[in-house]
Amino acid sequence: MSADLQTACRINIQDFEGPLDLLLFLIRRDELDVTTIHVAEVADQYLDYIREAEELNLDIAGEYLVMAATLTRMKSRLLLPVERAIMEDYEDPMDSLMRHLVLYRAFKEVASELRESESIWRDVFTPPGERERYQESVTEVDQDQTSLLDLLLALENMSEKNAPPPEHRIRKPLLSLSECVAILDRTLSTDRQSKFIDAVGENADQAVVVSFFVAILELVKRGWLTAEQRYPFAEITIKRKEERWE
Amino acid sequence: MLDQLARQVEALLVASESPVTLERICELTGCGTESAEQAVQRIEMELASGGHAVVVARLAGGFRIVTDPDLGYIVAQLFEGKRHSRLSRASLETLAVIAYRQPATRAQIEAVRGVNSDSAMRTLLERDMIKIAGRQETPGRPLLYETTSRFLEYFGLSDLEHLPRMDEMESLLKLSADDIERMASELSGDESDQIL
Amino acid sequence: MLDQLARQVEALLVASESPVTLERICELTGCGTESAEQAVQRIEMELASGGHAVVVARLAGGFRIVTDPDLGYIVAQLFEGKRHSRLSRASLETLAVIAYRQPATRAQIEAVRGVNSDSAMRTLLERDMIKIAGRQETPGRPLLYETTSRFLEYFGLSDLEHLPRMDEMESLLKLSADDIERMASELSGDESDQIL
């Protein structure tokens, strides 16, 4: 891939506000209609894009990968006649994705209308008010009174000031691939092998599981790691092969 | 030439720190609703015919005197360095979802946007655009968020009914209500159905 | 009918939080001293002939547009009544400790905060945010404090269970040290940002 294209790709993924935004972009780029798109078409476009972005830059937020997994699953269901028959009673997941896209697109449009109002009203100024003139012993203005947030901030502020650092780490809702790699590196530094579930953590949510899974695939591809699964749905064991990952 | 009632109303609108409702005008001047409304109209006309630099704006359920947006480039110089930056796209999207669906939980917002919205929510709380509105009475009792009157003022809205495309958004939300709930409950993680 | 220069000057005098000097007017509008003075005079005339409720006040070496003192009897009502100032940072911290570990003794509160909390506790008692809830059955039998229903009302909570939990708080409050500093200075109220 040329350097130009690489740069373009990298800029783009950061310009998107998430997987739905990216999907809408791809649909618009290919001049498709949101309400009649074909799942396979869109899925391929999306997966290609993610793969390209991945090759350039490991830091793709977990949400993008969850969408990739969802689209892949939808596409494979279409190809499996048996499963289709079973699924007949259920709503086509594509319908709900389409509804979601339409809804998200509407919010995106509203957000840009709000952006316009913002730029008009930023240029509007109000008189400062005459409280000081009419109320002598006023020290602090009380617009919306103290809020619950202020109360919480006070608490937070205290723990910053003098409490020892909290025992438990603050849960990060989503992990980028490079963070997953760093965690795996740490997990596999003492024991050279680990169960997938132990590396990921038992209560990890879907996005985190997907992020780790993709990170492991990437590391296997590079020959830094091996992964073994005896039969479908069995435990996955990962083993370190390369001493240093960089 | 303004009459005495209009002068009183104008003084209130200039001196107040926040929009003044019609009820408050009536209460403080002792006039009726209709007279108060007409007084506001007379003020508007007099300001326009004198070519003044201010107009009456209908904001957050009340009236307020504000400078004409045309003159923003002059007045902004007074506040250089003290103005807030514009809201990011993520914040605007998050705010839009909360505005039409309030009160909303974080999981519902993230379900609609399809993306983690922590930092956007934090910005909006800090900038007083949204506030905590209690808890939802469902498992996990998540916090609920709603928009503030500062939100209305910031975007020049007289009330929530005047949000852009209210009808369209309401019917879209109704159509997707089940989807949102389903995705939100997946996100809030009380059922962590693991894929793979 | 005001000309463009006069409109610019009027906008400045209305929106500014402090009197605007002639030099500053010249600097911001790009006009000369004499023109600026004449513009102020034209504004005064136009305001008078329209019977408006505001006048140009000459104060502390500068100009400001304020409501006519004649109308003070109306305007003063806007600011009547007990409008409490925001709670100070010390009070908020103290209140937060009591809210989350009630009932609490003064010694427990001070242990968490690391500083003497007498005056904060007094303020909170006066403002009816906390009350005495009995005595602890330990040597010295210290007084115990808990939050009141006024506290719930003030923060818009229906009951204590609606207080955000610690884990929710953490995700709400992953703020940088800078953010906290800035918010703390906002809490102490030294800037009242009137910009929309």
Side-chain angles (χ1 to χ4, degrees):
Chain A
M1 205 180 307
S2 74
D4 281 355
L5 184 56
Q6 290 196 1
T7 320
C9 210
R10 194 172 310 134
I11 290 167
N12 281 343
I13 193 109
Q14 280 160 359
D15 280 349
F16 294 114
E17 287 296 334
L20 294 167
D21 199 19
L22 173 56
L23 267 178
L24 282 178
F25 166 78
L26 295 171
I27 291 167
R28 201 169 347 120
R29 186 192 63 182
D30 298 343
E31 295 179 350
L32 303 172
D33 178 356
V34 178
T35 51
T36 57
I37 39 171
H38 196 261
V39 65
E41 220 171 342
V42 167
D44 289 344
Q45 295 295 329
Y46 185 89
L47 296 172
D48 281 351
Y49 193 93
I50 293 294
R51 216 169 290 132
E52 273 174 33
E54 239 172 56
E55 271 173 29
L56 300 167
N57 173 13
L58 272 180
D59 279 315
I60 297 171
E63 291 106 345
Y64 287 95
L65 304 171
V66 173
M67 177 61 80
T70 308
L71 288 171
T72 308
R73 202 168 30 173
M74 282 184 189
K75 200 182 140 188
S76 62
R77 264 192 199 144
L78 284 177
L79 302 174
L80 293 175
V82 179
E83 188 154 354
R84 265 184 119 179
I86 298 171
M87 294 300 289
E88 221 152 79
D89 289 342
Y90 295 85
E91 192 196 18
D92 182 353
M94 197 59 202
D95 289 344
S96 98
L97 178 62
M98 262 190 255
R99 271 202 306 276
H100 197 173
L101 279 172
V102 169
L103 181 70
Y104 176 72
R105 187 178 58 182
F107 274 115
K108 233 183 91 154
E109 283 162 7
V110 168
S112 76
E113 284 182 42
L114 289 177
R115 163 77 77 220
E116 279 168 38
S117 312
E118 179 189 45
S119 52
I120 295 168
W121 286 87
R122 259 173 80 80
D123 273 338
V124 165
F125 297 84
T126 55
E130 299 186 1
R131 175 178 295 276
E132 279 173 57
R133 192 167 158 206
Y134 287 97
Q135 202 179 55
E136 273 159 36
S137 62
V138 131
T139 42
E140 291 157 21
V141 176
D142 173 22
Q143 275 291 13
D144 274 58
Q145 83 171 19
T146 315
S147 73
L148 204 49
L149 183 67
D150 298 328
L151 186 71
L152 297 177
L153 277 170
L155 203 57
E156 172 76 358
N157 195 37
M158 266 183 298
S159 60
E160 295 264 316
K161 260 194 326 218
N162 44 30
E167 293 277 312
H168 52 293
R169 295 192 8 187
I170 291 168
R171 184 183 70 93
K172 268 199 126 179
L174 281 171
L175 294 166
S176 70
L177 287 186
S178 60
E179 286 170 304
C180 292
V181 170
I183 290 168
L184 289 168
D185 196 11
R186 234 176 298 134
T187 312
L188 298 173
S189 65
T190 41
D191 300 319
R192 299 191 50 88
Q193 77 172 49
S194 165
K195 288 178 196 160
F196 179 76
I197 188 76
D198 293 338
V200 174
E202 229 166 299
N203 299 318
D205 62 29
Q206 179 175 318
V208 171
V209 173
V210 173
S211 299
F212 270 100
F213 191 71
V214 174
I216 287 169
L217 291 182
E218 177 66 26
L219 292 168
V220 169
K221 199 171 91 188
R222 296 187 187 189
W224 294 353
L225 196 77
T226 57
E228 203 182 277
Q229 187 180 34
R230 302 221 165 173
Y231 50 90
F233 304 109
E235 221 155 56
I236 302 173
T237 308
I238 49 176
K239 269 189 210 151
R240 193 187 193 96
K241 279 187 74 187
E242 202 62 46
E243 205 50 54
R244 299 180 63 81
W245 294 354
E246 52 200 36
Chain B
M1 186 85 180
L2 292 180
D3 55 292
Q4 187 59 8
L5 176 60
R7 294 188 77 227
Q8 293 181 340
V9 175
E10 191 179 59
L12 290 173
L13 302 194
V14 168
S16 175
E17 296 160 321
S18 49
V20 189
T21 62
L22 217 48
E23 296 77 61
R24 189 104 170 96
I25 292 174
C26 295
E27 183 194 328
L28 297 180
T29 61
C31 72
T33 316
E34 215 169 311
S35 318
E37 260 174 40
Q38 287 163 1
V40 172
Q41 282 165 18
R42 288 197 297 280
I43 295 168
E44 287 184 307
M45 279 166 51
E46 192 66 46
L47 287 173
S49 73
H52 286 285
V54 293
V55 294
V56 179
R58 286 159 175 74
L59 288 173
F63 298 97
R64 202 160 187 192
I65 296 256
V66 302
T67 58
D68 191 321
D70 290 356
L71 294 161
Y73 70 102
I74 287 285
V75 183
Q77 302 175 97
L78 283 176
F79 301 101
E80 242 162 48
K82 284 198 266 176
R83 288 170 99 191
H84 276 302
S85 54
R86 283 157 198 274
L87 292 169
S88 69
R89 219 182 109 191
S91 299
L92 283 172
E93 275 184 25
T94 306
L95 195 51
V97 178
I98 299 172
Y100 291 90
R101 214 196 179 279
Q102 51 190 315
T105 65
R106 174 190 305 255
Q108 287 163 350
I109 297 157
E110 295 187 345
V112 173
R113 292 193 63 222
V115 75
N116 176 286
S117 305
D118 272 1
S119 90
M121 305 262 303
R122 204 156 55 235
T123 308
L124 294 172
L125 281 163
E126 281 170 42
R127 291 187 57 172
D128 200 17
M129 295 283 163
I130 59 169
K131 61 179 188 222
I132 297 169
R135 284 182 188 283
Q136 195 176 49
E137 296 304 335
T138 52
R141 307 183 73 231
L143 291 173
L144 288 164
Y145 298 88
E146 65 185 16
T147 56
T148 61
S149 66
R150 170 114 185 96
F151 157 76
L152 294 172
E153 280 202 60
Y154 186 83
F155 291 100
L157 294 163
S158 59
D159 52 55
L160 287 172
E161 310 288 294
H162 283 79
L163 280 168
R165 301 199 250 164
M166 196 59 189
D167 294 346
E168 182 196 336
M169 297 307 291
E170 270 185 343
S171 57
L172 273 177
L173 274 168
K174 212 179 280 169
L175 212 63
S176 302
D178 291 346
D179 298 327
I180 296 173
E181 285 318 316
R182 181 176 42 74
M183 291 184 292
S185 76
E186 277 166 21
L187 277 177
S188 61
D190 21 54
E191 34 167 302
S192 49
D193 90 357
Q194 306 259 349
I195 60 164
L196 294 177
Chain C
M1 186 86 179
L2 290 180
D3 55 293
Q4 186 61 5
L5 175 61
R7 294 185 78 228
Q8 294 181 339
V9 176
E10 193 180 56
L12 291 171
L13 302 195
V14 166
S16 177
E17 284 164 27
S18 49
V20 190
T21 61
L22 221 44
E23 296 76 60
R24 189 101 170 100
I25 293 174
C26 296
E27 184 194 329
L28 298 180
T29 61
C31 74
T33 318
E34 215 168 311
S35 318
E37 256 173 44
Q38 286 164 1
V40 172
Q41 281 165 18
R42 287 198 297 280
I43 295 168
E44 285 184 306
M45 277 165 54
E46 191 68 49
L47 287 174
S49 74
H52 287 285
V54 293
V55 294
V56 177
R58 288 149 202 272
L59 319 136
F63 303 96
R64 243 182 112 171
I65 290 191
V66 295
T67 55
D68 190 329
D70 286 1
L71 292 158
Y73 69 101
I74 285 283
V75 174
Q77 301 176 93
L78 278 176
F79 308 110
E80 268 168 17
K82 264 199 294 180
R83 271 186 70 134
H84 275 302
S85 55
R86 296 181 81 126
L87 291 168
S88 70
R89 185 152 146 198
S91 302
L92 273 172
E93 284 184 11
T94 307
L95 190 54
V97 178
I98 298 172
Y100 280 94
R101 40 144 81 211
Q102 53 191 311
T105 66
R106 177 184 305 253
Q108 286 165 348
I109 297 158
E110 294 186 346
V112 175
R113 290 194 61 217
V115 288
N116 178 289
S117 305
D118 275 2
S119 88
M121 305 260 307
R122 209 160 44 236
T123 308
L124 292 172
L125 283 164
E126 274 167 18
R127 291 184 58 171
D128 199 17
M129 292 284 168
I130 59 169
K131 63 180 187 216
I132 295 167
R135 285 183 187 279
Q136 196 175 48
E137 292 309 328
T138 53
R141 304 187 67 235
L143 289 172
L144 286 163
Y145 297 87
E146 65 184 18
T147 56
T148 60
S149 60
R150 168 94 188 99
F151 161 78
L152 294 173
E153 197 188 311
Y154 188 86
F155 288 100
L157 299 163
S158 59
D159 56 61
L160 278 176
E161 274 182 55
H162 282 75
L163 265 179
R165 292 188 308 267
M166 293 302 241
D167 57 330
E168 289 169 332
M169 209 187 81
E170 282 174 349
S171 64
L172 270 176
L173 297 177
K174 279 178 287 176
L175 299 167
S176 69
D178 279 357
D179 291 333
I180 290 168
E181 265 317 299
R182 192 176 41 69
M183 300 199 65
S185 78
E186 274 168 22
L187 279 186
S188 65
D190 37 34
E191 70 161 82
S192 52
D193 184 356
Q194 292 290 340
I195 317 164
L196 278 180

